[in-house]
Amino acid sequence: MSQQTTLSPEMLACIELCRRCQMVCLGMATGHCLEKGGRHVEPEHLRTMIVCAEICQAAANVMTTNSTLHRQVCAVCADICDACISSCRDLDEMEECIFACERCKNSCEAMTSV
């Protein structure tokens, strides 16, 4: 039996949402925000987006192992996604990041009790 078949459909969905959020946050930080300039490149905002991308990747990787330790990582991931949402909310043209973070946050919150 392969490792993939031992993961629940909900966990597989969360892994994909985390991976998507990682790609969106990193891509927008290094693309849109750098090109836009101004408040989009303030150090704390860029750091938040990069940290969000990193924790999303870590959460996806931990869930892939099927370890129960995913609960703690997913809780942190949800918190950091929330911080990224707050950071992006006041800036223009950040809807894609906000949407990806909201979906990842909600899914990770659900994974904290699975």
Side-chain angles (χ1 to χ4, degrees), residues 25 28 34 67 114:
C25 286
M28 288 195 77
L34 287 178
S67 167
V114 174

Side-chain angles (χ1 to χ4, degrees), residues 57-73:
Q57 181 178 25
N61 291 346
V62 170
M63 283 185 281
T64 300
T65 70
N66 210 19
S67 167
T68 58
L69 295 172
H70 78 273
R71 294 179 186 116
Q72 292 93 321
V73 177

Side-chain angles (χ1 to χ4, degrees), residues 10-47:
E10 296 80 13
M11 190 169 289
L12 288 170
C14 189
I15 290 167
E16 288 308 310
L17 289 170
C18 286
R19 288 185 175 146
R20 172 76 182 144
C21 192
Q22 186 266 338
M23 287 179 20
V24 169
C25 286
L26 190 58
M28 288 195 77
T30 60
H32 173 74
C33 289
L34 287 178
E35 292 168 13
K36 194 81 171 161
R39 291 180 42 222
H40 284 79
V41 292
E42 288 180 358
E44 195 57 31
H45 173 68
L46 282 179
R47 285 184 192 113

